[in-house]
């Protein structure tokens, strides 16, 4: 049986393996919370976490914004199960939906317009066309003055190959300086999950996970263009460390 204590154990391992790829992940979470604190006027904002995974970003936002509530959406039932067991309750609700499919927003069952859409390390799993559609939905439903905040590996794309190589190298150097643990990478974490008796039920529901093939990767410029096109009055980068960046749109 998956206890809250064991869920928290797996989430801690998740955070360590994610830091292997993003040595400034905690700083990135903190900056996203700063953005919300700076821009949101309501003391009880409704936040949607796109690709919530096991809830790392959501938990940090709930800690920083005591009046906030979060609805997290994801297409991985195992990660959602961990989030629910560890943090689920009145302030964090999770919903299973694939952001590439029409109707994902309706499945959230919200009773008011969200004040913010946030995401970390998730949207780079999407091709340009579905990402554009997701951002269009966000722009059409968000409350006036609402914000979109995405922290992810973002790229220059064609014509920016040397900058992209440089940014990747800077991330690697930063990781070495920060001394992030390299005990476990993505594959090793999933392999350990597969063998954990308390996760057997969730592994079964996950059934190998959903496939994502990224053939048409969005660039950092695409994010800005799509956000403007979606009705966000202003959009642009607000933070960067190597290839790890935060882009903000203000409706
Ligand atoms: C690397 S994890 C990041 C999770 C979490 N946001 C974090 O920062 O730790 C990427 C997440 O995005 C989710 N994801 C990717 N593509 C998705 C899609 N099309 N629909 C819903 N969730 C998606 C994955 O299931 C996974 O939970």
């Amino acid at each position: 049986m998956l206890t809250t204590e064991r869920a928290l154990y797996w989430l801690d391992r998740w955070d360590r393996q994610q830091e292997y790829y993003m040595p400034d992940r905690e700083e990135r979470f903190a900056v996203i919370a700063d953005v919300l604190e700076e821009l949101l006027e309501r003391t009880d904002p409704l936040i949607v976490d796109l690709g919530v995974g096991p809830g790392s970003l959501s938990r940090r936002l709930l800690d920083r914004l005591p009046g906030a509530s979060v609805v997290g959406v994801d297409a991985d039932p195992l990660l959602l199960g961990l989030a629910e067991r560890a943090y689920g309750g009145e302030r964090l609700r999770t919903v299973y939906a694939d952001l590439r499919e029409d109707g994902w927003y309706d499945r959230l069952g919200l009773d008011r317009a969200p004040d913010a859409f946030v995401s970390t390390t998730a949207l780079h799993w999407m091709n340009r066309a579905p990402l554009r559609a997701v951002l269009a939905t966000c722009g059409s439903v968000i409350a006036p003055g609402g914000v979109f905040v995405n922290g992810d590996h973002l790229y220059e794309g064609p014509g920016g190959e040397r900058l992209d190589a440089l940014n990747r190298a800077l991330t690697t150097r930063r990781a070495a300086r920060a001394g992030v643990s390299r005990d476990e990478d993505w594959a090793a974490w999933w392999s350990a999950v597969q063998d954990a008796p308390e996760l057997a039920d969730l592994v079964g529901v996950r059934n190998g996970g959903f496939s994502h093939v990224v053939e048409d990767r969005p660039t950092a410029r695409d994010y800005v263009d799509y956000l403007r096109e979606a009705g966000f009055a202003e959009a642009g980068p607000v933070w960067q460390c190597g290839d790890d960046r935060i882009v903000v749109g203000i409706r």
Side-chain angles (χ1 to χ4, degrees):
M1 173 183 155
L2 180 60
T3 60
T4 301
E5 190 188 7
R6 285 305 285 173
L8 289 168
Y9 163 81
W10 285 105
L11 294 197
D12 188 56
R13 265 176 88 158
W14 169 270
D15 285 340
R16 300 289 83 73
Q17 63 91 353
Q18 285 285 290
E19 280 166 4
Y20 170 77
Y21 304 98
M22 289 143 297
D24 289 293
R25 187 166 174 262
E26 285 302 332
E27 174 65 10
R28 188 174 72 177
F29 286 141
V31 173
I32 292 174
D34 288 345
V35 169
L36 299 187
E37 278 187 343
E38 284 288 332
L39 294 178
L40 295 183
E41 286 176 5
R42 287 184 76 131
T43 53
D44 62 344
L46 173 59
I47 301 167
V48 175
D49 187 346
L50 304 169
V52 61
S56 304
L57 170 63
S58 293
R59 182 180 71 73
R60 285 155 178 86
L61 295 181
L62 291 172
D63 286 348
R64 277 281 296 276
L65 305 165
S69 52
V70 177
V71 176
V73 54
D74 205 286
D76 190 315
L78 186 143
L79 296 178
L80 288 177
L82 285 174
E84 280 288 344
R85 174 55 71 193
Y87 312 128
E90 263 182 35
R91 297 183 65 209
L92 173 64
R93 181 166 66 81
T94 64
V95 176
Y96 174 86
D98 190 327
L99 295 167
R100 296 168 299 188
E101 292 173 2
D102 289 345
W104 66 266
Y105 180 74
D106 294 335
R107 296 184 72 159
L108 303 185
L110 304 181
D111 56 10
R112 68 171 161 105
D115 303 289
F117 286 93
V118 298
S119 186
T120 48
T121 332
L123 300 179
H124 71 275
W125 285 29
M126 300 186 77
N127 284 306
R128 291 168 79 229
L131 175 75
R132 189 179 193 172
V134 165
L135 299 190
T137 300
C138 295
S140 69
V141 299
I142 199 166
V147 291
F148 171 93
V149 197
N150 179 38
D152 207 344
H153 302 286
L154 295 180
Y155 309 96
E156 299 296 320
E161 288 82 3
R162 284 181 296 172
L163 272 179
D164 281 336
L166 174 62
N167 280 328
R168 278 194 297 274
L170 292 177
T171 301
T172 304
R173 283 173 179 257
R174 172 77 187 116
R177 264 204 305 284
V180 286
S181 150
R182 296 190 173 222
D183 292 345
E184 191 166 60
D185 64 8
W186 174 262
W189 187 86
W190 280 106
S191 167
V193 160
Q194 204 74 25
D195 295 338
E198 72 272 28
L199 298 179
D201 289 349
L202 287 174
V203 167
V205 179
R206 185 172 192 259
N207 195 21
F210 70 102
S211 68
H212 68 286
V213 180
V214 184
E215 298 154 328
D216 188 19
R217 191 167 69 171
T219 65
R221 166 58 57 186
D222 287 331
Y223 275 89
V224 174
D225 291 346
Y226 297 162
L227 285 167
R228 294 300 298 266
E229 190 182 281
F232 287 85
E234 297 181 40
V238 297
W239 179 88
Q240 175 167 2
C241 185
D243 63 358
D244 195 6
R245 312 188 203 190
I246 296 175
V247 170
V248 169
I250 308 173
R251 189 74 167 92

